[in-house]
Amino acid sequence: MYSNSRFNCAKSDLVSSYLYPATDHAKQVEHTFIRALLGIAAKQGRVTQDDIQRAIEASGIFDLSPEIADRVVRQLWIIGDHYLGALSRQQAAELRQLRKLCILAAATGDADAWAQIAELI
């Protein structure tokens, strides 16, 4: 089970990856990675090293120049290592709910979704 601080960090990272614009292509890759990795965590209730690798591959990393891609891959592994392990059932359910609300808020700007996100984080 994630500690409270680790889980709060996961929730904050998830919200940021959906609702705050990326400043450059490398940051967009990072946001895509976090959405993929924490989506896996929400669905499976855990993150493995194989999950980190799959999230990196799904992130669009290969669209970056080789020099930037190497640096970003190292950073994604550091981020991914932070989320290795299992969530409690309650944490996984809360992360699933938060993910759904982020998707809704990002797509529609729904005020109720934003309010619920604020309550969850």
Side-chain angles (χ1 to χ4, degrees), residues 12-64:
S12 177
D13 284 351
L14 183 67
V15 170
S16 293
S17 73
Y18 274 103
L19 302 178
Y20 297 104
T23 54
D24 59 29
H25 190 64
K27 193 66 171 174
Q28 180 60 41
V29 166
E30 182 180 314
H31 282 193
T32 302
F33 168 77
I34 289 170
R35 288 191 301 262
L37 188 64
L38 294 178
I40 291 167
K43 289 176 187 172
Q44 295 179 174
R46 63 171 164 58
V47 171
T48 66
Q49 288 194 340
D50 287 341
D51 296 328
I52 295 170
Q53 184 61 43
R54 279 193 293 280
I56 288 172
E57 291 167 2
S59 71
I61 192 75
F62 303 110
D63 295 337
L64 298 172

Side-chain angles (χ1 to χ4, degrees), residues 93-113:
E94 188 174 332
L95 201 59
R96 278 191 301 276
Q97 179 64 22
L98 183 59
R99 183 173 176 265
K100 288 177 188 176
L101 290 168
C102 286
I103 291 168
L104 178 62
T108 67
D110 184 278
D112 289 335

